[in-house]
Amino acid sequence: TNVANSYRLQEECDVLALRMAKFKGAVVLSEFRSVMLASLRSLVKDWASLHEVSWSWLWDNVERMLKTLMGRPAKQEASLAAFLASLDESSLMTIRREVYSKFFTLAPAGQDYFKQSTT
């Protein structure tokens, strides 16, 4: 599972932080915890105190990771935009090729989303 792999959990939090950065409005993580636990209690028939402790521990860790990431995506986006604007067309083309090459190596199924018609 992703919980057992701290790097994967961090990666999931990174993605979640990016998605949350696009949200227009306040994000109140503590309110999510209450809703999450109430939903789980109603959905899991054999809910017990061990479940409560486990999910609370998980959310405490996710919330801590997300709080450290809050506000960073906007700063990183601005820095990336400035960096890319400073590059010439040849450098940009090299970066594009390398990114796509690495992406398709790591996630071959991604090719299904980038297919172009040859007709």
Side-chain angles (χ1 to χ4, degrees), residues 77-97:
E77 185 178 14
S79 296
L80 179 61
F83 170 70
L84 293 174
S86 72
L87 298 176
D88 61 15
E89 191 58 38
S90 174
S91 297
L92 286 170
M93 189 55 74
T94 301
I95 289 173
R96 288 181 193 117
R97 270 195 310 273

Side-chain angles (χ1 to χ4, degrees), residues 22 70 97 113:
K22 298 295 181 189
M70 296 292 227
R97 270 195 310 273
Y113 295 98

Side-chain angles (χ1 to χ4, degrees), residues 44-63:
V44 179
K45 294 188 186 322
D46 61 344
W47 186 263
S49 63
L50 187 57
H51 290 96
E52 189 90 15
V53 170
S54 299
W55 279 98
S56 292
W57 174 86
L58 174 63
W59 182 249
D60 287 344
N61 283 287
V62 169
E63 185 175 13

Side-chain angles (χ1 to χ4, degrees), residues 13-14 16-23 25 27 29 63-79:
C13 288
D14 291 344
L16 186 55
L18 290 172
R19 298 207 31 120
M20 289 169 46
K22 298 295 181 189
F23 180 73
V27 176
L29 298 173
E63 185 175 13
R64 180 182 45 78
M65 290 177 184
L66 289 174
K67 283 182 178 178
T68 63
L69 296 169
M70 296 292 227
R72 283 190 187 172
K75 293 175 188 172
Q76 292 168 337
E77 185 178 14
S79 296

Side-chain angles (χ1 to χ4, degrees), residues 19-34:
R19 298 207 31 120
M20 289 169 46
K22 298 295 181 189
F23 180 73
K24 305 287 188 239
V27 176
V28 184
L29 298 173
S30 60
E31 288 179 5
F32 178 82
R33 175 197 189 109
S34 302

Side-chain angles (χ1 to χ4, degrees), residues 85-119:
S86 72
L87 298 176
D88 61 15
E89 191 58 38
S90 174
S91 297
L92 286 170
M93 189 55 74
T94 301
I95 289 173
R96 288 181 193 117
R97 270 195 310 273
E98 292 299 319
V99 165
Y100 275 93
S101 176
K102 178 105 177 179
F103 173 76
F104 293 134
T105 299
L106 294 173
Q111 294 179 41
D112 296 340
Y113 295 98
F114 291 98
K115 285 186 178 177
Q116 291 183 344
S117 174
T118 57
T119 59

